[in-house]
């Protein structure tokens, strides 16, 4: 995630802009590989953002990476961080691999069938050198899953500020209305993408709400 007060200095998912309007744009995203964790925010100390620390552990942003090379049980050597966010890739032969931080952090929410329990799925998009699930280091934390994401067409609205529930809901409704007026059909649930670390001043934060469209 970007380190320099609002400036995004890390790799971001690749896409082509199909259409750009005043309020939104339509993007075609390339396939990607993500690390994700799903949890009930009510059961986690950090609430909705609890997954961040788990995923940061997987990539090695907090010290020794919680991952291993596929086909080996060798422990990894701790690699010192040069900044709060890692932007260089370093690997230990036969052991853990430090994975560069990318942006955005993606958050999805879903309601469990037959109940009121709401689960949150948080994802880190892995660097583009990991072109397949098999190429990514295997998590040693069983809560972390590696998943391939196919190409997708998304309607996107960009906004600044702290992306809390209220602001996100406002931007979501604004995007839905704009897409409807433009003749797009929404084909799934929204995701929230946040491009900056938590310590970034609110007025310098870049966020996006995305909706799959047809």
């Amino acid at each position: 995630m970007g380190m320099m007060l609002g400036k995004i200095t890390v790799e971001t998912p690749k896409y082509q802009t199909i259409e750009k309007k005043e309020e939104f744009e339509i993007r075609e995203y390339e396939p990607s590989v993500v690390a994700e964790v799903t949890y009930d925010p009510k059961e986690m100390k950090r609430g909705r953002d609890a997954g961040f620390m788990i995923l940061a552990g997987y990539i090695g942003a907090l010290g020794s990476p919680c991952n291993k090379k596929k086909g080996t049980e060798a422990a990894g050597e701790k690699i010192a961080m040069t900044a709060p966010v890692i932007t260089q890739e370093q690997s230990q032969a036969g052991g853990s691999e430090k994975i560069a931080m990318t942006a955005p952090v993606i958050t999805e929410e879903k309601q469990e069938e037959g109940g009121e329990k709401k689960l949150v799925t948080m994802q880190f998009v892995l660097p583009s050198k990991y072109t397949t699930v098999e190429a990514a280091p295997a998590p040693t934390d069983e809560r972390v899953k590696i998943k391939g994401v196919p190409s997708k067409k998304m309607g996107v609205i960009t906004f600044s500020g702290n992306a809390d529930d209220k602001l996100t809901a406002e931007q979501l409704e604004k995007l839905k209305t704009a897409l409807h007026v433009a003749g797009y059909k929404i084909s799934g649930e929204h995701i929230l993408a946040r491009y900056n670390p938590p310590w970034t001043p609110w007025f310098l934060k870049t966020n996006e709400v995305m909706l799959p469209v047809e």
Side-chain angles (χ1 to χ4, degrees), residues 95-214:
S96 296
E97 180 170 349
K98 201 122 182 180
I99 301 172
M101 180 71 87
T102 61
V105 174
I106 299 173
T107 311
E108 295 181 273
E109 295 186 3
K110 58 184 178 182
Q111 195 85 14
E112 280 199 335
E113 293 184 7
E116 298 181 355
K117 193 174 184 180
K118 181 180 288 188
L119 301 179
V120 171
T121 296
M122 183 175 286
Q123 299 176 338
F124 280 7
V125 181
L126 300 186
S128 57
K129 75 170 189 175
Y130 301 108
T131 57
T132 65
V133 170
E134 292 72 25
T140 55
D141 185 332
E142 64 182 12
R143 295 172 295 180
V144 179
K145 308 299 180 186
I146 307 301
K147 184 176 77 173
V149 178
S151 61
K152 53 189 178 181
K153 183 188 290 186
M154 305 291 284
V156 182
I157 188 168
T158 304
F159 59 101
S160 61
N162 290 320
D164 56 17
D165 291 344
K166 181 176 183 296
L167 180 57
T168 300
E170 291 172 353
Q171 295 297 319
L172 175 59
E173 287 306 310
K174 186 176 179 180
L175 177 59
K176 285 181 176 179
T177 300
L179 290 172
H180 177 73
V181 171
Y184 286 99
K185 179 182 178 182
I186 297 170
S187 57
E189 297 299 319
H190 79 281
I191 61 175
L192 170 65
R194 291 172 286 178
Y195 287 82
N196 308 99
W199 55 85
T200 304
W202 67 269
F203 54 89
L204 293 177
K205 288 181 178 179
T206 298
N207 315 291
E208 291 178 334
V209 169
M210 305 181 182
L211 282 166
V213 296
E214 297 175 356

Side-chain angles (χ1 to χ4, degrees), residues 29-44:
Y29 279 88
E30 295 183 7
S32 61
V33 177
V34 302
E36 70 174 28
V37 59
T38 299
Y39 50 94
D40 181 351
K42 293 180 180 179
E43 297 176 356
M44 307 293 278

Side-chain angles (χ1 to χ4, degrees), residues 81-93:
M81 294 174 59
T82 57
V85 177
I86 303 301
T87 56
Q88 279 190 317
E89 297 175 1
Q90 301 181 41
S91 62
Q92 298 297 311

Side-chain angles (χ1 to χ4, degrees), residues 62-78:
L62 304 176
S64 297
C66 297
N67 66 62
K68 61 184 179 181
K69 293 283 189 180
K70 286 193 168 60
T72 179
E73 296 297 327
E77 180 180 340
K78 184 174 181 179

